[in-house]
Amino acid sequence: KAGVTQTPRYLIKTRGQQVTLSCSPISGHRSVSWYQQTPGQGLQFLFEYFSETQRNKGNFPGRFSGRQFSNSRSEMNVSTLELGDSALYLCASSGGVLTPQQETQYFGPGTRLLVL
Amino acid sequence: KNEVEQSPQNLTAQEGEFITINCSYSVGISALHWLQQHPGGGIVSLFMLSSGKKKHGRLIATINIQEKHSSLHITASHPRDSAVYICAGENSGGGADGLTFGKGTHLIIQP
């Protein structure tokens, strides 16, 4: 079974731009969660999508948004990029029967975003 | 706000040594996940536990609910165990906020 894939793997943007990251979950998984990892804050939960609906949301500003398609693939969008948005963005998929924190999550390799 | 604290932050040991990484968490967290992150970023979920002890190969995870403490042990450590180990707490209030993560323990096993 193919693992979780994320594209692109690396991205360089400038302040004020917007960016869209993509995540394809493991086949059959219906839940996709997004996380931001920075050296200062560590891993932080962004949001989780299940059946095309945002089911849970972390404490991030509205510039961070996402969506999920009918095939469970998910995209994350960050608008008006700031220097502090430079981070590794990870997505993880799980079956979705329970909430992500109650199920084993399978992580993608991440997208490393650098904002200049 | 739920909190998860790990210790030590950094750990260097010799191949073959028994390794222990600790995680303490606040009220409001009902279960713990242990994750392993290798250089380059990939994360693997090692364990999910809400009570007792789990074992997988050379890895053992324990949790003490009363003391709000969990440990990850590695027996007969090997250089390939070198990675960042992260514990994450499951918030007992339901789905909101997802997991609360510790800062991670950077483990280096020298040959």
PDB file of all heavy atoms in Angstrom, chain A residues 35 37 40-41 43-45 56-57 88 90 99-105 107 109, chain B residues 33 35 37 40-43 45 48 86 90-91 94-99 101 103:
ATOM      1  N   TYR A  35      -0.094  19.452  10.255  1.00  0.00           N
ATOM      2  CA  TYR A  35       0.721  19.921  11.370  1.00  0.00           C
ATOM      3  C   TYR A  35       1.806  20.852  10.852  1.00  0.00           C
ATOM      4  O   TYR A  35       2.302  20.690   9.740  1.00  0.00           O
ATOM      5  CB  TYR A  35       1.390  18.750  12.089  1.00  0.00           C
ATOM      6  CG  TYR A  35       0.433  17.743  12.666  1.00  0.00           C
ATOM      7  CD1 TYR A  35       0.021  16.644  11.909  1.00  0.00           C
ATOM      8  CD2 TYR A  35      -0.069  17.883  13.958  1.00  0.00           C
ATOM      9  CE1 TYR A  35      -0.869  15.724  12.429  1.00  0.00           C
ATOM     10  CE2 TYR A  35      -0.950  16.955  14.483  1.00  0.00           C
ATOM     11  CZ  TYR A  35      -1.347  15.881  13.715  1.00  0.00           C
ATOM     12  OH  TYR A  35      -2.226  14.973  14.236  1.00  0.00           O
ATOM     13  N   GLN A  37       5.632  22.245  11.905  1.00  0.00           N
ATOM     14  CA  GLN A  37       6.757  21.999  12.793  1.00  0.00           C
ATOM     15  C   GLN A  37       7.810  23.069  12.587  1.00  0.00           C
ATOM     16  O   GLN A  37       8.312  23.257  11.477  1.00  0.00           O
ATOM     17  CB  GLN A  37       7.363  20.618  12.555  1.00  0.00           C
ATOM     18  CG  GLN A  37       8.457  20.265  13.564  1.00  0.00           C
ATOM     19  CD  GLN A  37       9.010  18.877  13.353  1.00  0.00           C
ATOM     20  OE1 GLN A  37       9.156  18.403  12.242  1.00  0.00           O
ATOM     21  NE2 GLN A  37       9.326  18.188  14.458  1.00  0.00           N
ATOM     22  N   GLY A  40      11.312  26.443  16.982  1.00  0.00           N
ATOM     23  CA  GLY A  40      10.942  27.099  18.229  1.00  0.00           C
ATOM     24  C   GLY A  40       9.711  26.518  18.898  1.00  0.00           C
ATOM     25  O   GLY A  40       9.676  26.332  20.115  1.00  0.00           O
ATOM     26  N   GLN A  41       8.702  26.221  18.121  1.00  0.00           N
ATOM     27  CA  GLN A  41       7.414  25.761  18.668  1.00  0.00           C
ATOM     28  C   GLN A  41       7.225  24.254  18.609  1.00  0.00           C
ATOM     29  O   GLN A  41       6.289  23.717  19.196  1.00  0.00           O
ATOM     30  CB  GLN A  41       6.254  26.432  17.918  1.00  0.00           C
ATOM     31  CG  GLN A  41       6.216  27.947  18.055  1.00  0.00           C
ATOM     32  CD  GLN A  41       5.988  28.375  19.483  1.00  0.00           C
ATOM     33  OE1 GLN A  41       5.167  27.804  20.197  1.00  0.00           O
ATOM     34  NE2 GLN A  41       6.738  29.372  19.922  1.00  0.00           N
ATOM     35  N   LEU A  43       6.096  20.703  17.046  1.00  0.00           N
ATOM     36  CA  LEU A  43       4.935  20.291  16.258  1.00  0.00           C
ATOM     37  C   LEU A  43       3.666  20.918  16.817  1.00  0.00           C
ATOM     38  O   LEU A  43       3.431  20.900  18.012  1.00  0.00           O
ATOM     39  CB  LEU A  43       4.778  18.771  16.293  1.00  0.00           C
ATOM     40  CG  LEU A  43       5.488  17.969  15.218  1.00  0.00           C
ATOM     41  CD1 LEU A  43       5.542  16.499  15.611  1.00  0.00           C
ATOM     42  CD2 LEU A  43       4.785  18.122  13.882  1.00  0.00           C
ATOM     43  N   GLN A  44       2.845  21.454  15.912  1.00  0.00           N
ATOM     44  CA  GLN A  44       1.565  22.020  16.329  1.00  0.00           C
ATOM     45  C   GLN A  44       0.485  21.584  15.352  1.00  0.00           C
ATOM     46  O   GLN A  44       0.700  21.550  14.143  1.00  0.00           O
ATOM     47  CB  GLN A  44       1.642  23.552  16.364  1.00  0.00           C
ATOM     48  CG  GLN A  44       2.563  24.090  17.438  1.00  0.00           C
ATOM     49  CD  GLN A  44       2.585  25.609  17.443  1.00  0.00           C
ATOM     50  OE1 GLN A  44       3.215  26.240  16.605  1.00  0.00           O
ATOM     51  NE2 GLN A  44       1.860  26.197  18.366  1.00  0.00           N
ATOM     52  N   PHE A  45      -0.670  21.284  15.911  1.00  0.00           N
ATOM     53  CA  PHE A  45      -1.795  20.823  15.120  1.00  0.00           C
ATOM     54  C   PHE A  45      -2.459  22.004  14.423  1.00  0.00           C
ATOM     55  O   PHE A  45      -2.783  23.011  15.048  1.00  0.00           O
ATOM     56  CB  PHE A  45      -2.779  20.115  16.058  1.00  0.00           C
ATOM     57  CG  PHE A  45      -4.104  19.776  15.452  1.00  0.00           C
ATOM     58  CD1 PHE A  45      -4.218  18.746  14.538  1.00  0.00           C
ATOM     59  CD2 PHE A  45      -5.249  20.465  15.827  1.00  0.00           C
ATOM     60  CE1 PHE A  45      -5.447  18.412  13.995  1.00  0.00           C
ATOM     61  CE2 PHE A  45      -6.480  20.138  15.290  1.00  0.00           C
ATOM     62  CZ  PHE A  45      -6.578  19.110  14.376  1.00  0.00           C
ATOM     63  N   ASN A  56     -11.753  19.227  13.107  1.00  0.00           N
ATOM     64  CA  ASN A  56     -11.063  19.825  14.248  1.00  0.00           C
ATOM     65  C   ASN A  56     -10.143  20.923  13.759  1.00  0.00           C
ATOM     66  O   ASN A  56      -9.658  20.879  12.636  1.00  0.00           O
ATOM     67  CB  ASN A  56     -10.215  18.774  14.990  1.00  0.00           C
ATOM     68  CG  ASN A  56     -11.062  17.715  15.632  1.00  0.00           C
ATOM     69  OD1 ASN A  56     -11.930  18.012  16.438  1.00  0.00           O
ATOM     70  ND2 ASN A  56     -10.834  16.477  15.265  1.00  0.00           N
ATOM     71  N   LYS A  57      -9.880  21.871  14.638  1.00  0.00           N
ATOM     72  CA  LYS A  57      -9.044  22.991  14.245  1.00  0.00           C
ATOM     73  C   LYS A  57      -8.145  23.376  15.405  1.00  0.00           C
ATOM     74  O   LYS A  57      -8.591  23.440  16.557  1.00  0.00           O
ATOM     75  CB  LYS A  57      -9.920  24.179  13.844  1.00  0.00           C
ATOM     76  CG  LYS A  57      -9.176  25.343  13.241  1.00  0.00           C
ATOM     77  CD  LYS A  57     -10.148  26.445  12.852  1.00  0.00           C
ATOM     78  CE  LYS A  57      -9.465  27.547  12.067  1.00  0.00           C
ATOM     79  NZ  LYS A  57      -8.312  28.145  12.735  1.00  0.00           N
ATOM     80  N   LEU A  88       8.275  23.140   8.498  1.00  0.00           N
ATOM     81  CA  LEU A  88       7.980  21.862   7.855  1.00  0.00           C
ATOM     82  C   LEU A  88       6.492  21.606   8.078  1.00  0.00           C
ATOM     83  O   LEU A  88       6.026  21.620   9.220  1.00  0.00           O
ATOM     84  CB  LEU A  88       8.816  20.744   8.474  1.00  0.00           C
ATOM     85  CG  LEU A  88       8.589  19.327   7.919  1.00  0.00           C
ATOM     86  CD1 LEU A  88       9.074  19.242   6.473  1.00  0.00           C
ATOM     87  CD2 LEU A  88       9.313  18.299   8.786  1.00  0.00           C
ATOM     88  N   LEU A  90       3.526  18.994   7.799  1.00  0.00           N
ATOM     89  CA  LEU A  90       3.314  17.562   7.725  1.00  0.00           C
ATOM     90  C   LEU A  90       1.829  17.254   7.660  1.00  0.00           C
ATOM     91  O   LEU A  90       1.024  17.905   8.333  1.00  0.00           O
ATOM     92  CB  LEU A  90       3.905  16.876   8.954  1.00  0.00           C
ATOM     93  CG  LEU A  90       5.422  16.904   9.063  1.00  0.00           C
ATOM     94  CD1 LEU A  90       5.867  16.916  10.500  1.00  0.00           C
ATOM     95  CD2 LEU A  90       6.025  15.709   8.339  1.00  0.00           C
ATOM     96  N   THR A  99     -11.302   9.876  16.215  1.00  0.00           N
ATOM     97  CA  THR A  99     -10.551  11.105  15.951  1.00  0.00           C
ATOM     98  C   THR A  99      -9.084  10.750  15.777  1.00  0.00           C
ATOM     99  O   THR A  99      -8.641   9.705  16.264  1.00  0.00           O
ATOM    100  CB  THR A  99     -10.710  12.111  17.097  1.00  0.00           C
ATOM    101  OG1 THR A  99     -10.249  11.519  18.299  1.00  0.00           O
ATOM    102  CG2 THR A  99     -12.163  12.539  17.242  1.00  0.00           C
ATOM    103  N   PRO A 100      -8.294  11.601  15.095  1.00  0.00           N
ATOM    104  CA  PRO A 100      -6.895  11.271  14.804  1.00  0.00           C
ATOM    105  C   PRO A 100      -6.077  10.947  16.041  1.00  0.00           C
ATOM    106  O   PRO A 100      -5.191  10.109  15.997  1.00  0.00           O
ATOM    107  CB  PRO A 100      -6.375  12.532  14.122  1.00  0.00           C
ATOM    108  CG  PRO A 100      -7.573  13.139  13.514  1.00  0.00           C
ATOM    109  CD  PRO A 100      -8.700  12.839  14.465  1.00  0.00           C
ATOM    110  N   GLN A 101      -6.385  11.624  17.148  1.00  0.00           N
ATOM    111  CA  GLN A 101      -5.570  11.346  18.321  1.00  0.00           C
ATOM    112  C   GLN A 101      -5.914   9.995  18.937  1.00  0.00           C
ATOM    113  O   GLN A 101      -5.219   9.522  19.817  1.00  0.00           O
ATOM    114  CB  GLN A 101      -5.713  12.450  19.374  1.00  0.00           C
ATOM    115  CG  GLN A 101      -7.111  12.764  19.810  1.00  0.00           C
ATOM    116  CD  GLN A 101      -7.688  13.939  19.050  1.00  0.00           C
ATOM    117  OE1 GLN A 101      -7.505  14.047  17.843  1.00  0.00           O
ATOM    118  NE2 GLN A 101      -8.363  14.828  19.741  1.00  0.00           N
ATOM    119  N   GLN A 102      -6.982   9.357  18.483  1.00  0.00           N
ATOM    120  CA  GLN A 102      -7.342   8.054  19.019  1.00  0.00           C
ATOM    121  C   GLN A 102      -6.956   6.922  18.071  1.00  0.00           C
ATOM    122  O   GLN A 102      -7.154   5.764  18.381  1.00  0.00           O
ATOM    123  CB  GLN A 102      -8.851   8.013  19.291  1.00  0.00           C
ATOM    124  CG  GLN A 102      -9.298   8.989  20.357  1.00  0.00           C
ATOM    125  CD  GLN A 102     -10.806   9.132  20.404  1.00  0.00           C
ATOM    126  OE1 GLN A 102     -11.460   9.122  19.375  1.00  0.00           O
ATOM    127  NE2 GLN A 102     -11.340   9.267  21.586  1.00  0.00           N
ATOM    128  N   GLU A 103      -6.433   7.278  16.913  1.00  0.00           N
ATOM    129  CA  GLU A 103      -6.043   6.275  15.938  1.00  0.00           C
ATOM    130  C   GLU A 103      -4.574   6.445  15.598  1.00  0.00           C
ATOM    131  O   GLU A 103      -4.031   7.541  15.721  1.00  0.00           O
ATOM    132  CB  GLU A 103      -6.837   6.443  14.637  1.00  0.00           C
ATOM    133  CG  GLU A 103      -8.312   6.176  14.740  1.00  0.00           C
ATOM    134  CD  GLU A 103      -8.997   6.323  13.385  1.00  0.00           C
ATOM    135  OE1 GLU A 103      -8.634   7.236  12.624  1.00  0.00           O
ATOM    136  OE2 GLU A 103      -9.884   5.512  13.111  1.00  0.00           O
ATOM    137  N   THR A 104      -3.952   5.379  15.100  1.00  0.00           N
ATOM    138  CA  THR A 104      -2.585   5.512  14.594  1.00  0.00           C
ATOM    139  C   THR A 104      -2.606   6.398  13.359  1.00  0.00           C
ATOM    140  O   THR A 104      -3.411   6.190  12.454  1.00  0.00           O
ATOM    141  CB  THR A 104      -2.012   4.135  14.230  1.00  0.00           C
ATOM    142  OG1 THR A 104      -1.936   3.351  15.410  1.00  0.00           O
ATOM    143  CG2 THR A 104      -0.617   4.283  13.627  1.00  0.00           C
ATOM    144  N   GLN A 105      -1.748   7.384  13.359  1.00  0.00           N
ATOM    145  CA  GLN A 105      -1.649   8.265  12.205  1.00  0.00           C
ATOM    146  C   GLN A 105      -0.414   7.904  11.392  1.00  0.00           C
ATOM    147  O   GLN A 105       0.616   7.547  11.938  1.00  0.00           O
ATOM    148  CB  GLN A 105      -1.558   9.716  12.669  1.00  0.00           C
ATOM    149  CG  GLN A 105      -2.838  10.207  13.316  1.00  0.00           C
ATOM    150  CD  GLN A 105      -2.806  11.696  13.506  1.00  0.00           C
ATOM    151  OE1 GLN A 105      -2.775  12.469  12.555  1.00  0.00           O
ATOM    152  NE2 GLN A 105      -2.837  12.124  14.749  1.00  0.00           N
ATOM    153  N   PHE A 107       2.208   9.421   8.772  1.00  0.00           N
ATOM    154  CA  PHE A 107       2.677  10.729   8.360  1.00  0.00           C
ATOM    155  C   PHE A 107       3.302  10.700   6.970  1.00  0.00           C
ATOM    156  O   PHE A 107       3.957   9.732   6.579  1.00  0.00           O
ATOM    157  CB  PHE A 107       3.720  11.255   9.349  1.00  0.00           C
ATOM    158  CG  PHE A 107       3.125  11.724  10.644  1.00  0.00           C
ATOM    159  CD1 PHE A 107       2.805  10.815  11.643  1.00  0.00           C
ATOM    160  CD2 PHE A 107       2.885  13.075  10.869  1.00  0.00           C
ATOM    161  CE1 PHE A 107       2.246  11.237  12.847  1.00  0.00           C
ATOM    162  CE2 PHE A 107       2.343  13.509  12.075  1.00  0.00           C
ATOM    163  CZ  PHE A 107       2.023  12.582  13.053  1.00  0.00           C
ATOM    164  N   PRO A 109       6.044  12.712   4.235  1.00  0.00           N
ATOM    165  CA  PRO A 109       7.423  13.184   4.395  1.00  0.00           C
ATOM    166  C   PRO A 109       7.518  14.675   4.689  1.00  0.00           C
ATOM    167  O   PRO A 109       8.557  15.162   5.114  1.00  0.00           O
ATOM    168  CB  PRO A 109       8.060  12.860   3.046  1.00  0.00           C
ATOM    169  CG  PRO A 109       6.920  12.883   2.092  1.00  0.00           C
ATOM    170  CD  PRO A 109       5.731  12.382   2.839  1.00  0.00           C
TER     171      PRO A 109
ATOM    172  N   HIS B  33       0.848   9.371  22.680  1.00  0.00           N
ATOM    173  CA  HIS B  33       1.436   8.802  21.484  1.00  0.00           C
ATOM    174  C   HIS B  33       2.947   9.004  21.564  1.00  0.00           C
ATOM    175  O   HIS B  33       3.398  10.040  22.022  1.00  0.00           O
ATOM    176  CB  HIS B  33       0.938   9.521  20.226  1.00  0.00           C
ATOM    177  CG  HIS B  33      -0.527   9.356  19.959  1.00  0.00           C
ATOM    178  ND1 HIS B  33      -1.000   8.763  18.822  1.00  0.00           N
ATOM    179  CD2 HIS B  33      -1.620   9.714  20.671  1.00  0.00           C
ATOM    180  CE1 HIS B  33      -2.333   8.761  18.838  1.00  0.00           C
ATOM    181  NE2 HIS B  33      -2.728   9.338  19.947  1.00  0.00           N
ATOM    182  N   LEU B  35       6.173   9.156  18.941  1.00  0.00           N
ATOM    183  CA  LEU B  35       6.510   9.288  17.528  1.00  0.00           C
ATOM    184  C   LEU B  35       8.019   9.298  17.371  1.00  0.00           C
ATOM    185  O   LEU B  35       8.748   9.715  18.277  1.00  0.00           O
ATOM    186  CB  LEU B  35       5.940  10.592  16.952  1.00  0.00           C
ATOM    187  CG  LEU B  35       4.464  10.892  17.214  1.00  0.00           C
ATOM    188  CD1 LEU B  35       4.127  12.303  16.727  1.00  0.00           C
ATOM    189  CD2 LEU B  35       3.589   9.874  16.518  1.00  0.00           C
ATOM    190  N   GLN B  37      11.012  10.630  14.672  1.00  0.00           N
ATOM    191  CA  GLN B  37      11.281  11.455  13.497  1.00  0.00           C
ATOM    192  C   GLN B  37      12.749  11.357  13.127  1.00  0.00           C
ATOM    193  O   GLN B  37      13.632  11.725  13.897  1.00  0.00           O
ATOM    194  CB  GLN B  37      10.902  12.919  13.742  1.00  0.00           C
ATOM    195  CG  GLN B  37      11.045  13.792  12.507  1.00  0.00           C
ATOM    196  CD  GLN B  37      10.494  15.190  12.709  1.00  0.00           C
ATOM    197  OE1 GLN B  37      10.507  15.724  13.810  1.00  0.00           O
ATOM    198  NE2 GLN B  37       9.985  15.793  11.647  1.00  0.00           N
ATOM    199  N   GLY B  40      15.527  14.598   8.043  1.00  0.00           N
ATOM    200  CA  GLY B  40      14.789  14.709   6.789  1.00  0.00           C
ATOM    201  C   GLY B  40      13.317  14.903   7.022  1.00  0.00           C
ATOM    202  O   GLY B  40      12.588  15.336   6.134  1.00  0.00           O
ATOM    203  N   GLY B  41      12.845  14.577   8.226  1.00  0.00           N
ATOM    204  CA  GLY B  41      11.493  14.958   8.603  1.00  0.00           C
ATOM    205  C   GLY B  41      10.469  13.856   8.753  1.00  0.00           C
ATOM    206  O   GLY B  41       9.478  14.035   9.443  1.00  0.00           O
ATOM    207  N   GLY B  42      10.676  12.693   8.122  1.00  0.00           N
ATOM    208  CA  GLY B  42       9.641  11.666   8.168  1.00  0.00           C
ATOM    209  C   GLY B  42       9.315  11.226   9.589  1.00  0.00           C
ATOM    210  O   GLY B  42      10.197  11.013  10.404  1.00  0.00           O
ATOM    211  N   ILE B  43       8.042  11.127   9.898  1.00  0.00           N
ATOM    212  CA  ILE B  43       7.592  10.746  11.238  1.00  0.00           C
ATOM    213  C   ILE B  43       6.892   9.398  11.171  1.00  0.00           C
ATOM    214  O   ILE B  43       6.084   9.141  10.283  1.00  0.00           O
ATOM    215  CB  ILE B  43       6.630  11.794  11.825  1.00  0.00           C
ATOM    216  CG1 ILE B  43       7.383  13.093  12.119  1.00  0.00           C
ATOM    217  CG2 ILE B  43       5.966  11.281  13.097  1.00  0.00           C
ATOM    218  CD1 ILE B  43       6.513  14.193  12.691  1.00  0.00           C
ATOM    219  N   SER B  45       4.678   6.733  13.670  1.00  0.00           N
ATOM    220  CA  SER B  45       3.980   6.547  14.929  1.00  0.00           C
ATOM    221  C   SER B  45       4.436   5.228  15.542  1.00  0.00           C
ATOM    222  O   SER B  45       4.334   4.180  14.916  1.00  0.00           O
ATOM    223  CB  SER B  45       2.473   6.537  14.689  1.00  0.00           C
ATOM    224  OG  SER B  45       1.783   6.335  15.888  1.00  0.00           O
ATOM    225  N   MET B  48       0.658   4.035  20.756  1.00  0.00           N
ATOM    226  CA  MET B  48      -0.458   4.816  21.278  1.00  0.00           C
ATOM    227  C   MET B  48      -0.884   4.067  22.534  1.00  0.00           C
ATOM    228  O   MET B  48      -1.188   2.879  22.453  1.00  0.00           O
ATOM    229  CB  MET B  48      -1.594   4.778  20.265  1.00  0.00           C
ATOM    230  CG  MET B  48      -2.304   6.046  20.077  1.00  0.00           C
ATOM    231  SD  MET B  48      -3.594   6.004  18.823  1.00  0.00           S
ATOM    232  CE  MET B  48      -3.922   4.317  18.512  1.00  0.00           C
ATOM    233  N   ILE B  86       9.309  11.960  19.958  1.00  0.00           N
ATOM    234  CA  ILE B  86       8.329  12.966  20.371  1.00  0.00           C
ATOM    235  C   ILE B  86       7.158  12.284  21.052  1.00  0.00           C
ATOM    236  O   ILE B  86       6.623  11.299  20.525  1.00  0.00           O
ATOM    237  CB  ILE B  86       7.811  13.764  19.156  1.00  0.00           C
ATOM    238  CG1 ILE B  86       8.978  14.428  18.413  1.00  0.00           C
ATOM    239  CG2 ILE B  86       6.771  14.802  19.573  1.00  0.00           C
ATOM    240  CD1 ILE B  86       8.603  14.962  17.039  1.00  0.00           C
ATOM    241  N   GLU B  90      -3.072  13.112  23.915  1.00  0.00           N
ATOM    242  CA  GLU B  90      -4.419  13.145  23.364  1.00  0.00           C
ATOM    243  C   GLU B  90      -5.291  13.935  24.324  1.00  0.00           C
ATOM    244  O   GLU B  90      -5.411  13.600  25.493  1.00  0.00           O
ATOM    245  CB  GLU B  90      -4.926  11.711  23.229  1.00  0.00           C
ATOM    246  CG  GLU B  90      -6.356  11.558  22.793  1.00  0.00           C
ATOM    247  CD  GLU B  90      -6.787  10.103  22.822  1.00  0.00           C
ATOM    248  OE1 GLU B  90      -5.960   9.244  22.476  1.00  0.00           O
ATOM    249  OE2 GLU B  90      -7.931   9.832  23.212  1.00  0.00           O
ATOM    250  N   ASN B  91      -5.889  14.992  23.822  1.00  0.00           N
ATOM    251  CA  ASN B  91      -6.692  15.853  24.681  1.00  0.00           C
ATOM    252  C   ASN B  91      -8.022  15.183  25.000  1.00  0.00           C
ATOM    253  O   ASN B  91      -8.782  14.814  24.105  1.00  0.00           O
ATOM    254  CB  ASN B  91      -6.922  17.199  23.995  1.00  0.00           C
ATOM    255  CG  ASN B  91      -5.619  17.895  23.683  1.00  0.00           C
ATOM    256  OD1 ASN B  91      -4.756  18.022  24.535  1.00  0.00           O
ATOM    257  ND2 ASN B  91      -5.437  18.316  22.444  1.00  0.00           N
ATOM    258  N   GLY B  94     -12.164  15.802  23.884  1.00  0.00           N
ATOM    259  CA  GLY B  94     -12.809  15.520  22.614  1.00  0.00           C
ATOM    260  C   GLY B  94     -11.903  15.878  21.470  1.00  0.00           C
ATOM    261  O   GLY B  94     -10.725  16.050  21.635  1.00  0.00           O
ATOM    262  N   GLY B  95     -12.417  16.102  20.308  1.00  0.00           N
ATOM    263  CA  GLY B  95     -11.562  16.275  19.150  1.00  0.00           C
ATOM    264  C   GLY B  95     -10.824  17.592  19.065  1.00  0.00           C
ATOM    265  O   GLY B  95      -9.849  17.685  18.351  1.00  0.00           O
ATOM    266  N   ALA B  96     -11.266  18.598  19.780  1.00  0.00           N
ATOM    267  CA  ALA B  96     -10.677  19.923  19.598  1.00  0.00           C
ATOM    268  C   ALA B  96      -9.191  19.929  19.917  1.00  0.00           C
ATOM    269  O   ALA B  96      -8.741  19.262  20.831  1.00  0.00           O
ATOM    270  CB  ALA B  96     -11.395  20.926  20.485  1.00  0.00           C
ATOM    271  N   ASP B  97      -8.430  20.688  19.117  1.00  0.00           N
ATOM    272  CA  ASP B  97      -7.009  20.905  19.334  1.00  0.00           C
ATOM    273  C   ASP B  97      -6.133  19.729  18.980  1.00  0.00           C
ATOM    274  O   ASP B  97      -4.930  19.816  19.096  1.00  0.00           O
ATOM    275  CB  ASP B  97      -6.686  21.313  20.785  1.00  0.00           C
ATOM    276  CG  ASP B  97      -7.336  22.639  21.147  1.00  0.00           C
ATOM    277  OD1 ASP B  97      -7.664  23.397  20.212  1.00  0.00           O
ATOM    278  OD2 ASP B  97      -7.512  22.903  22.331  1.00  0.00           O
ATOM    279  N   GLY B  98      -6.660  18.638  18.555  1.00  0.00           N
ATOM    280  CA  GLY B  98      -5.819  17.529  18.115  1.00  0.00           C
ATOM    281  C   GLY B  98      -4.897  17.059  19.217  1.00  0.00           C
ATOM    282  O   GLY B  98      -5.284  16.907  20.361  1.00  0.00           O
ATOM    283  N   LEU B  99      -3.647  16.808  18.865  1.00  0.00           N
ATOM    284  CA  LEU B  99      -2.644  16.342  19.804  1.00  0.00           C
ATOM    285  C   LEU B  99      -1.821  17.518  20.318  1.00  0.00           C
ATOM    286  O   LEU B  99      -1.578  18.484  19.603  1.00  0.00           O
ATOM    287  CB  LEU B  99      -1.710  15.346  19.123  1.00  0.00           C
ATOM    288  CG  LEU B  99      -2.311  14.014  18.666  1.00  0.00           C
ATOM    289  CD1 LEU B  99      -1.324  13.264  17.786  1.00  0.00           C
ATOM    290  CD2 LEU B  99      -2.687  13.169  19.867  1.00  0.00           C
ATOM    291  N   PHE B 101       1.920  18.333  21.558  1.00  0.00           N
ATOM    292  CA  PHE B 101       3.215  17.690  21.377  1.00  0.00           C
ATOM    293  C   PHE B 101       4.250  18.170  22.382  1.00  0.00           C
ATOM    294  O   PHE B 101       4.276  19.351  22.753  1.00  0.00           O
ATOM    295  CB  PHE B 101       3.738  17.969  19.969  1.00  0.00           C
ATOM    296  CG  PHE B 101       2.912  17.364  18.882  1.00  0.00           C
ATOM    297  CD1 PHE B 101       1.861  18.069  18.321  1.00  0.00           C
ATOM    298  CD2 PHE B 101       3.179  16.095  18.415  1.00  0.00           C
ATOM    299  CE1 PHE B 101       1.085  17.516  17.313  1.00  0.00           C
ATOM    300  CE2 PHE B 101       2.413  15.529  17.411  1.00  0.00           C
ATOM    301  CZ  PHE B 101       1.362  16.236  16.861  1.00  0.00           C
ATOM    302  N   LYS B 103       8.451  18.764  23.063  1.00  0.00           N
ATOM    303  CA  LYS B 103       9.477  19.395  22.204  1.00  0.00           C
ATOM    304  C   LYS B 103      10.395  18.370  21.554  1.00  0.00           C
ATOM    305  O   LYS B 103      11.154  18.705  20.662  1.00  0.00           O
ATOM    306  CB  LYS B 103      10.322  20.373  23.033  1.00  0.00           C
ATOM    307  CG  LYS B 103       9.538  21.543  23.589  1.00  0.00           C
ATOM    308  CD  LYS B 103       9.093  22.482  22.518  1.00  0.00           C
ATOM    309  CE  LYS B 103       8.486  23.742  23.120  1.00  0.00           C
ATOM    310  NZ  LYS B 103       7.803  24.561  22.125  1.00  0.00           N
TER     311      LYS B 103
END
